[in-house]
Each structure stands twice: as structure tokens, then as C-alpha cells.
């Protein structure tokens, strides 16, 4: 089953907690603190793999978690790092992170970090100073990054084969390659893209058979938008048009519809190399007349009259395809990926909820709260001092917070006191 879209939820590993420990050995007086740091949490990577052809596996298992780091130990032993998690996807996958385009995996083995593991909490030996020689404080591990990832597969092929249902695209693919797509004499036989590899002059060309396009496809009619996205990756567009008069269709009108729908979908498609294959000339009579009329109406385009059944004209068509695929690709032929703009955010923000609770939010203060062991007096004092240096206390007073009011950071509530 071909699946070209998937949504997954990922969580990188949490860092291990730091350790509170003191060196205690015979004949070693005043051994001092020796609590080690926690290990870093595992990262989450997404990597492109040519062995993958669909996103089906990810649609069955949408949640992924990297390993957490281990706790630090005495004797300044660091905790073990959490194991990284690697998610494999097909080549040609676009990655959207929290709604923004994050990466485009075009090559086999291309790897991208999508969620960073939390750092390990520091043990008490890290807090030792000349003035504070016996620290009884350690940090909890930092939480790993979480993200909602949307994956969208766009087939990478040299040639995109487009046309109305029953134009003969699947038959053409089966004739020129070893692909064996489902073929029958009724509309929408092809319900998913098929790939075929053609060997010509010791070179290989990948042809993608895109499911039938009909009028209104660019706005989602029929299979429409489900598969039009796969044409964006191709170097050459090959229009396959039935000239036998199937279902009373006029080949020229079919051509106009195809051209119109592709232009509506993306302005970049009109800049690609294009070939036109007028198929089913073996029907004779009206088919041959339709070829003549078509060539009179369509100028300045490379047109090939072919037959999938008798294989007439196919060799010439393939030779021209090979020639076009060897031409250099111009950057303007491909849709550009927007550059993400980074916006500066303050260390914290303060708001008041409906219950009159003062809510302090922001990555810096929320991470500080997550890594503080509130059951330790020294850790609590450190937490309060850092908030004061950041200006949280002053900002709360300016917002109208008074002694006795409730302040919330993450899911932790405090009573405000000066």
C-alpha cells in the first residue's frame, strides 16, 4: 500500500539526574563532593533510505521516544548517554516540524536532527567553589525536545507521466520498463503512483506514472491534489494523450485541460521540459486523423505518435527523453523552499489566567523549573536567586502581583513573597 503522507509525534530523551555524593574513604579527610553529572538524553534523527518506498510503517506507529540518559553516580561518575533514535523515510521526503518546513531529504543517507535530547543534570561536584565547599545541590535532567512532525513524500523521478485515465500510461510503463502496474480498460485503474526504470545506452531513467488527471484536479477533484505533488520532482513532463477517440474525447481539448490543470497547480511546472505522446495510433482511421489535426493546432512542441501495442514510435520517444534528462536542471524549474525566519523571544512572559493566577512562561524559566529539585533547600534557594536575577520578581510586581498571590511555572505553583 502506497502512503505518501504521515504525521508522527516524537520525544527526545530526558537527561539523567545529577548525583549528590561525598567522598568517604579511610585516611582521606574532607573528601568533598563527588556527585557526577547525569547522562545526556538521546536525540531523534530522520534519515533518507532508498530501501524505503512508502510512509506506511510510520502511519501504523505514530509515536516515537528516544532513550533517557542515566543518573550520575558517586566518585564523579557520569551517567550513560541515552541511545539516539533513527527514523528511516524514503528519499524525497519533506519534513514539517510544528507546522514549518524543516528539511527536504533528496539524497540517500541524508540525515537531519529533528529533536534534541535534554542535557544531563549537574551533580554536586559541579557546584563546588572556594566559598561553597560542601554543596548539597544537584539538578534534574533537562527534558528532551518534543515535536509534531508531518512527513510528505514526493517521488524523485526523471520523467513524470501525466494524462487522463485510460490514456495508456500504465501500459507504456510496462512496455518500456520492468514495472508491472495494474492495467484495465476502465477509468482510474491506477490509484497510486508507479515507478519504472528504463535502461538506455547504459543509463537508467526513472519514470513515474502519476494517477489520472481530470479537469478540476488542481482544486482537488478526483485524485487531484493527492498525487499532483509528485510531478514537482521530475525533470521532464510527458503528456500521454489517447487519440483513438475513447469516450468521445477530443485529443486537443484533453491537452488544454492537462496544461491548464498543471499551471493552476504550480507555476514551476510550466518551466519543465515537456514532450507529448499521442497514443493508440494502432486504432487507425480516426486516430490518425486526430494526430494530423492535433499537430496543426499545437506548434513548437515535440510531438510523438506512438502505439503501446505495436510499439511504433516508442524508440524515438525514449531517445528524446534520454536527451532531455541529460540537460542541466535550472534552479527556477523547481519550487523554492522558504527560509524559516527566527524571531527573538524574551526569557519569560507573564500573564494572568481566569483564576487570578500569575503564569510565568518561557523556555528558560520553564527549563529551570523542570531541572530543579524542589525538595532540597539549597536547590530551592538557587532557583529563587536565578529568577530574581532574570527580573521575574520585579516583573511580577509590575504586573500587580502581591505577597500571598499564586504564581505558576509549568505545573508547579508557588506563593509569591518578596
Amino acid at each position: 500500500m502506497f502512503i505518501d503522507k504521515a504525521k508522527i509525534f516524537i520525544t527526545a530523551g530526558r537527561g539523567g539526574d545529577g548525583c549528590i555524593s561525598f567522598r568517604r574513604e579511610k585516611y582521606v579527610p574532607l573528601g568533598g563532593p563527588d556527585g557526577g553529572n547525569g547522562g545526556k538524553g538521546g536525540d531523534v534523527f530522520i534519515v533518507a533510505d532508498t530501501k524505503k518506498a512508502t510512509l506506511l510503517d510510520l502511519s501504523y506507529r505514530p509515536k516515537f521516544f528516544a532513550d533517557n540518559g542515566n543518573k550520575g553516580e558517586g566518585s564523579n561518575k557520569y551517567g550513560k548517554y541515552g541511545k539516539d533514535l533513527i527514523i528511516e523515510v524514503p528519499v524525497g521526503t519533506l519534513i514539517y516540524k510544528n507546522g514549518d518546513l524543516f528539511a527536504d531529504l533528496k539524497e540517500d543517507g541524508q540525515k537531519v536532527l529533528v529533536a534534541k535530547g535534554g542535557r544531563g543534570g549537574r551533580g554536586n561536584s559541579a557546584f563546588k567553589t572556594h566559598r561553597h565547599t560542601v554543596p548539597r545541590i544537584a539538578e534534574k535532567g533537562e527534558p528532551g525536545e518534543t515535536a509534531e512532525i508531518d512527513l510528505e513524500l514526493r517521488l524523485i523521478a526523471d520523467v513524470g507521466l501525466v494524462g487522463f485515465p485510460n490514456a495508456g500510461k500504465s501500459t507504456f510503463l510496462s512496455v518500456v520498463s520492468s514495472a508491472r502496474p495494474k492495467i484495465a480498460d476502465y477509468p482510474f485503474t491506477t490509484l497510486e503512483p508507479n515507478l519504472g526504470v528504463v535502461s538506455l545506452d547504459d543509463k537508467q531513467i526513472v519514470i513515474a506514472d502519476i494517477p489520472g488527471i481530470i479537469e478540476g484536479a488542481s482544486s482537488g477533484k478526483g485524485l487531484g491534489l493527492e498525487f499532483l505533488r509528485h510531478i514537482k520532482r521530475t525533470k521532464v513532463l510527458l503528456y500521454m494523450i489517447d487519440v483513438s477517440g475513447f469516450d468521445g474525447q477530443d485529443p486537443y481539448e484533453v491537452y488544454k485541460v492537462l496544461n491548464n490543470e498543471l499551471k493552476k497547480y504550480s507555476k514551476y511546472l510550466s518551466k519543465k521540459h515537456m514532450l507529448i505522446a499521442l497514443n493508440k495510433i494502432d486504432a487507425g482511421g480516426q486516430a490518425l486523423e486526430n494526430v494530423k489535426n492535433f499537430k496543426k493546432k499545437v506548434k513548437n512542441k515535440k510531438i510523438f505518435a506512438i502505439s503501446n501495442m505495436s510499439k511504433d514510435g516508442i524508440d524515438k520517444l525514449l531517445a528524446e527523453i534520454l536527451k532531455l534528462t541529460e540537460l542541466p536542471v535550472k534552479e527556477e524549474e523547481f519550487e523554492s523552499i522558504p527560509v524559516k525566519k527566527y524571531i527573538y523571544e524574551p526569557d519569560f512572559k507573564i500573564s494572568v489566567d481566569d483564576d487570578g493566577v500569575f503564569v510565568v512562561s518561557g523556555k528558560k524559566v520553564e527549563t529551570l523549573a523542570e531541572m530543579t529539585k524542589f525538595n532540597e533547600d539549597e536547590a530551592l534557594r538557587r532557583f529563587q536567586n536565578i529568577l530574581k536575577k532574570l527580573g521575574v520578581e520585579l516583573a511580577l510586581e509590575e504586573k500587580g502581583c502581591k505577597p500571598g498571590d499564586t504564581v505558576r511555572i509549568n505545573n508547579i505553583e508557588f506563593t509569591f513573597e518578596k
Side-chain angles (χ1 to χ4, degrees):
M1 187 176 181
F2 183 82
I3 298 293
D4 60 356
K5 277 189 173 183
K7 181 189 290 288
I8 59 175
F9 304 89
I10 58 174
T11 302
R14 182 179 187 121
D17 293 348
C19 173
I20 296 179
S21 174
F22 293 91
R23 184 180 179 187
R24 293 182 178 86
E25 293 182 41
K26 195 174 182 180
Y27 308 120
V28 183
L30 306 175
D34 68 349
N37 298 344
K40 176 182 172 298
D43 297 326
V44 181
F45 294 90
I46 294 181
V47 61
D49 187 350
T50 51
K51 296 177 183 177
K52 294 282 183 179
T54 174
L55 298 172
L56 179 63
D57 293 347
L58 302 183
S59 65
Y60 287 142
R61 179 195 169 196
K63 294 183 179 181
F64 294 84
F65 302 88
D67 288 344
N68 295 331
N70 289 357
K71 295 180 180 180
E73 298 179 8
S75 302
N76 287 312
K77 292 180 180 178
Y78 277 58
K80 185 179 178 182
Y81 280 25
K83 186 178 179 181
D84 293 339
L85 175 65
I86 296 178
I87 302 171
E88 296 176 339
V89 297
V91 175
T93 299
L94 291 174
I95 300 172
Y96 293 85
K97 182 178 178 181
N98 297 328
D100 296 320
L101 183 57
F102 184 75
D104 185 2
L105 304 184
K106 295 181 180 178
E107 301 176 2
D108 183 37
Q110 192 174 348
K111 187 177 181 181
V112 61
L113 173 66
V114 289
K116 191 174 181 180
R119 67 177 178 86
R122 289 176 292 175
N124 67 332
S125 63
F127 291 94
K128 179 182 177 181
T129 65
H130 290 296
R131 297 179 62 185
H132 194 189
T133 57
V134 190
R136 298 182 180 276
I137 180 173
E139 291 177 323
K140 292 163 63 178
E142 180 185 20
E145 186 180 0
T146 62
E148 179 181 294
I149 302 292
D150 288 288
L151 301 171
E152 179 183 305
L153 173 59
R154 294 183 183 175
L155 295 178
I156 294 181
D158 299 301
V159 181
L161 192 55
V162 296
F164 271 27
N166 259 348
K169 302 187 305 299
S170 297
T171 304
F172 176 79
L173 195 66
S174 67
V175 168
V176 300
S177 73
S178 58
R180 291 295 175 264
K182 183 180 178 184
I183 300 169
D185 190 24
Y186 53 85
F188 289 109
T189 305
T190 306
L191 297 178
E192 58 188 49
N194 291 304
L195 286 179
V197 179
V198 183
S199 297
L200 291 171
D201 297 340
D202 297 326
K203 294 184 179 179
Q204 290 188 329
I205 299 172
V206 179
I207 300 178
D209 169 20
I210 309 301
I213 298 172
I214 60 174
E215 192 167 6
S218 61
S219 58
K221 190 175 180 182
L223 296 175
L225 300 176
E226 289 300 312
F227 298 115
L228 272 172
R229 74 177 73 92
H230 295 296
I231 303 175
K232 289 185 175 181
R233 297 285 197 188
T234 60
K235 296 179 183 177
V236 180
L237 292 179
L238 175 58
Y239 285 27
M240 184 72 65
I241 299 175
D242 181 356
V243 292
S244 69
F246 172 79
D247 205 20
Q249 294 175 345
D250 176 29
Y252 179 66
E253 293 300 320
V254 170
Y255 167 74
K256 287 201 301 183
V257 171
L258 289 174
N259 229 16
N260 189 43
E261 291 303 321
L262 294 187
K263 284 182 179 178
K264 281 182 180 179
Y265 179 68
S266 173
K267 63 181 181 179
Y268 298 93
L269 296 181
S270 61
K271 299 177 182 179
K272 293 182 181 292
H273 302 299
M274 189 187 76
L275 298 173
I276 301 173
L278 303 179
N279 188 28
K280 303 184 183 180
I281 60 172
D282 54 281
Q286 186 61 45
L288 297 176
E289 188 66 28
N290 286 338
V291 171
K292 291 180 182 179
N293 293 333
F294 188 91
K295 289 183 176 180
K296 289 178 183 178
K297 295 177 180 178
V298 180
K299 306 292 184 181
N300 302 321
K301 299 292 182 184
K302 293 184 179 180
I303 301 171
F304 296 83
I306 68 167
S307 168
N308 289 331
M309 303 304 293
S310 65
K311 300 185 181 180
D312 289 341
I314 287 182
D315 288 342
K316 290 183 180 180
L317 175 59
L318 291 178
E320 185 62 29
I321 288 174
L322 177 61
K323 191 185 301 182
L324 291 179
T325 56
E326 291 177 338
L327 294 176
V329 178
K330 298 178 182 179
E331 284 297 323
E332 63 266 21
E333 293 178 9
F334 291 98
E335 193 168 9
S336 59
I337 296 177
V339 178
K340 185 175 180 181
K341 295 180 180 179
Y342 290 90
I343 301 172
Y344 168 77
E345 290 188 358
D347 289 337
F348 64 89
K349 296 177 183 177
I350 298 176
S351 59
V352 184
D353 68 10
D354 295 337
D355 298 324
V357 175
F358 291 81
V359 180
V360 182
S361 59
K363 183 173 177 58
K364 194 163 188 176
V365 293
E366 289 175 3
T367 300
L368 175 64
E370 283 283 348
M371 298 182 71
T372 299
K373 296 183 177 182
F374 290 104
N375 58 338
E376 297 171 3
D377 292 340
E378 198 167 323
L380 182 57
R381 284 196 297 272
R382 174 177 175 267
F383 174 77
Q384 292 170 331
N385 288 335
I386 293 176
L387 290 185
K388 188 172 183 178
K389 289 178 181 178
L390 287 174
V392 175
E393 183 178 303
L394 182 60
L396 283 168
E397 288 183 317
E398 291 175 350
K399 198 76 174 178
C401 189
K402 300 176 182 178
D405 287 344
T406 301
V407 177
R408 183 191 303 134
I409 302 178
N410 283 350
N411 296 321
I412 306 168
E413 293 189 348
F414 311 88
T415 300
F416 182 69
E417 293 180 8
K418 289 202 65 176

